[in-house]
Each structure stands twice: as C-alpha cells, then as structure tokens.
Amino acid sequence: MEKKNIDWANLGFGYIVTDKRFVSNYRNGAWDEGGLTEDATVTISECAGVLQYAQTIFEGLKAYTTEKGETVIFRPDLNAERMEQSAKRLEMPVYPKDKFVDAIVETVRANSAYVPPYGTGATLYVRPYMFGSSEVIGVKPAQEYQFRVFTTPVGAYFKGGAKPLTIKVSDFDRAAPNGTGHIKAGLNYAMSLHAIVTAHEEGFDENMYLDPRTRTKVEETGGANFLFVTKDKKVVVPKSSSILPSITRRSLVHVAKEYLGLEVEEREVLFDEVKEFAEAGLCGTAAVISPVGKIVNHGEEICIPSGMADMGPVTKELYDTLTGIQMGRIEAPEGWIKVVE
Ligand SMILES: *Cc1c(COP(=O)(O)O)cnc(C)c1O
C-alpha cells in the first residue's frame, strides 16, 4: 500500500487520526463480533461508568517496518495478558487473548499506509483500551463495556541521540501497597499528573516514585520501569507488587541473560543503593531505554557515572540488542515478533 505523505523524520508524539479503528461492545454478558469503523469518536451516556468512576484500562505497543520490509508488532500476547489482569482488578470483562491479538493485527493492516518506513525511527503506536460505557450512579461496575484499538503514527523517541534524563525523587506516591500500581489503568495516570507537572516546572524530566509503605525502595516513574547496572556489569531491576510489569523490561532481562551473558538480579532495590550504580535507565515501549544521568533527592544530587552525554555502555548494548531484535537485524526468540503483513 502506498504510504501517506507524512514527514516521518519530524513526527512528534501526538495524536494523528488514522483511517480505521476496531470497536467491540460488551452487552448482556458477552462481547459482540466487533469490527473496523471509520468513526473516530465515541458516543456514550453522560453517566457512563468511565466518566463517573474512571473504569478504564489501556495498553500500548508499536507496529513498525523491519529491515526486510515486513510490518510487525512486538509480543502482543503479553499486552493481552496484562490487559486481562487489569480488567480483573477493575471488575471489567476480559477481552479474549486471541481476539485481542487479531483486533490489533486487523487495525494495523487497515492503517498500513501509516506504518512508517524502515530506518525513519518512527513507528505506528497502537492503543488498545476498554471502558465502562453504560450508566453507573451508585458505585458499582458498569454492565456494558467498549473495547477499542486505534493507531497513531509517532516519531523517533530520540532525535539526534539519546540524552540522559534528570529525575526527581517524588514526595508523592504513585501506588498504594495493595492498590492498582501493577495494572495499566487510567486512574494511575490521572493521579500522577500533578506530580509530573510539578516536576517539569522544577526542571526535571521524570519522577522516581519510592515504595509507598517505607519510602526506602525504588519503584518506577509514572510510565516506565527502572533498570540499573552495577560497577561489575550486573543488571539490577526493582521487584515490587506495585510496579507495572513492563514488557520492555521483561524483554531486556531476557536479552541481558540470554544474548549478552550478563547476570541479572530482580529484587528490591533500596534508594540508598542507587549512588553505587554505574548506569541507570528507564524501560518502556516508547523509548525502549532512556538513559538516566542524574537523580535528585531534595536537592541532593546523585550523578550516575555514565554521565549526562551518553547512554552507559551496558545500557547501550541492551538497547542495541533489543532494538536489533525488534527491527529484524538480530534473530528474535520464538514468538516475540508477530508479522502483520
Ligand atoms: C506502560 C507502563 C510501563 C512500560 O511498559 P511497557 O510494556 O514496557 O511499555 C511502565 N510503567 C508504567 C506505569 C506503565 O504504565
């Protein structure tokens, strides 16, 4: 299919409407067949569950063109499984895993003119989500739900090289000890907005949230997991029941062990240890890894030895290997790459 006339190299991260999106409705205890529509708007009751009590969950993944020219998506089965966990926690119906993957494939195919060409760094961002669509006024789960998948082309995350980030240790909490930090729910983002706007006003790029119970352990940022590298090249990733299980972080752990032969520790990470690490990064679908150069705790600066100019060497190797796997330059583990067309 002929590509849209888009300046791929200068795309940012904003919503651009594409041609088709997938919609399925849940009524009387069952999902309908679902299908593609050109209607980019949603019409629901003023009293819909999502509008009153924030019953909404989402996922995020990317479709892109590999070196061979195929359009692919990365591990969508894990997005399906994670959305299932999110749905159960918010008393929403599960959208079946196979149908979830099919809906993504169908939506990407229908918008293939928006999948950026190989080498541009741009991708087609895919957003599956679900919300309570029927009326709810007394607090309870909605009776009806809508599942949708839309796509929007986004630019390369790092334009002109990855610049290490400066992070603020936040005084706000992102998740309660037995709350919803481990699921991908809109409500976790609504409550993080004040913290991130404040951090940006103070000149920081992101917040580091500590564990809400003791405020001594590293959790994550508002939308990405941490990854650290010790001075003897061990990869350390924080473990906590209130961290969102990032698919990128889980993939990087596999790459570290199986492709790079590195030792990996998934464990609680004390904030006091952070000053001992040689490298730090943030993992998520958008950037794969964003290097962290500085972490500031109430004016006290921790300068990560890898510095403010470049990614650390181990972080770079992890980044190059995983992006190589995604782009088809390095052989992928079984089942990681789903070919769309
Ligand atoms: C989505 C998300 C991530 C990153 O997950 P990926 O699956 O790697 O994209 C990390 N933390 C939070 C809070 C998130 O919502």
Side-chain angles (χ1 to χ4, degrees):
M1 185 189 268
E2 203 178 323
K3 296 290 176 193
K4 296 281 171 180
N5 184 19
I6 292 174
D7 181 6
W8 307 109
N10 292 307
L11 262 180
F13 196 96
Y15 173 72
I16 295 172
V17 64
T18 55
D19 296 342
K20 299 277 174 66
R21 65 277 304 127
F22 182 90
V23 184
S24 178
N25 288 295
Y26 182 88
R27 280 195 195 101
N28 302 317
W31 289 105
D32 67 12
E33 255 316 285
L36 295 172
T37 171
E38 287 181 4
D39 189 355
T41 61
V42 176
T43 303
I44 47 175
S45 163
E46 64 184 354
C47 196
V50 59
L51 299 179
Q52 302 312 320
Y53 304 122
Q55 209 184 7
T56 180
I57 56 177
F58 68 99
E59 278 299 326
L61 66 163
K62 297 189 294 196
Y64 49 90
T65 309
T66 63
E67 193 171 34
K68 277 198 298 191
E70 287 175 329
T71 297
V72 304
I73 44 180
F74 184 71
R75 309 188 79 180
D77 52 318
L78 296 190
N79 294 97
E81 285 167 14
R82 192 167 63 188
M83 196 163 191
E84 176 170 346
Q85 297 312 313
S86 301
K88 287 177 173 165
R89 181 64 176 78
L90 293 195
E91 291 294 334
M92 299 166 83
V94 170
Y95 197 74
K97 183 168 162 179
D98 290 350
K99 292 187 68 167
F100 178 98
V101 175
D102 289 348
I104 289 171
V105 168
E106 207 180 320
T107 313
V108 171
R109 265 188 206 141
N111 295 294
S112 63
Y114 295 91
V115 179
Y118 176 77
T120 58
T123 57
L124 185 67
Y125 185 74
V126 183
R127 169 55 59 91
Y129 63 114
M130 190 202 293
F131 53 88
S133 52
S134 62
E135 294 83 353
V136 176
I137 193 73
V139 178
K140 60 177 187 299
Q143 294 278 79
E144 297 177 1
Y145 294 84
Q146 189 165 102
F147 170 79
R148 295 179 76 98
V149 183
F150 71 74
T151 61
T152 193
V154 295
Y157 197 83
F158 301 121
K159 291 195 178 71
K163 263 200 65 61
L165 306 175
T166 301
I167 309 254
K168 175 188 175 170
V169 178
S170 184
D171 291 324
F172 295 103
D173 292 324
R174 136 172 212 282
N178 300 300
T180 54
H182 61 300
I183 62 164
K184 219 166 169 71
L187 56 90
N188 290 332
Y189 281 76
M191 44 92 29
S192 75
L193 294 175
H194 179 62
I196 192 64
V197 168
T198 307
H200 285 164
E201 279 168 4
E202 294 169 353
F204 299 101
D205 298 304
E206 278 293 345
N207 281 308
M208 170 187 275
Y209 293 103
L210 301 178
D211 76 293
R213 203 190 302 267
T214 70
R215 304 191 62 83
T216 59
K217 290 171 267 186
V218 176
E219 294 251 303
E220 60 171 321
T221 68
N225 287 180
F226 277 100
L227 176 147
F228 299 103
V229 181
T230 64
K231 287 177 184 132
D232 53 358
K233 293 190 187 315
K234 222 182 275 171
V235 173
V236 179
V237 290
K239 187 172 176 173
S240 154
S241 59
S242 44
I243 289 178
L244 196 282
S246 157
I247 294 165
T248 313
R249 186 251 301 160
R250 287 183 272 162
S251 302
L252 287 165
V253 162
H254 181 90
V255 163
K257 286 184 194 162
E258 306 300 329
Y259 283 69
L260 303 179
L262 299 170
E263 216 175 297
V264 179
E265 289 179 357
E266 281 186 71
R267 58 166 172 85
E268 290 186 338
V269 175
L270 292 173
F271 179 70
D272 278 347
E273 287 178 69
V274 170
K275 59 182 184 301
E276 308 295 336
F277 291 128
E279 302 175 33
L282 301 180
C283 329
T285 294
V288 179
I289 313 182
S290 303
V292 172
K294 197 189 282 183
I295 299 169
V296 184
N297 184 22
H298 294 106
E300 197 182 313
E301 290 192 354
I302 298 173
C303 295
I304 307 294
S306 52
M308 292 304 289
D310 286 306
M311 270 192 194
V314 175
T315 308
K316 177 90 167 66
E317 251 191 300
L318 285 165
Y319 177 84
D320 287 345
T321 309
L322 185 54
T323 52
I325 288 169
Q326 290 180 329
M327 289 299 168
R329 298 185 294 261
I330 296 172
E331 192 173 346
E334 179 81 33
W336 277 25
I337 307 290
K338 171 101 184 156
V339 177
V340 170
E341 58 183 19

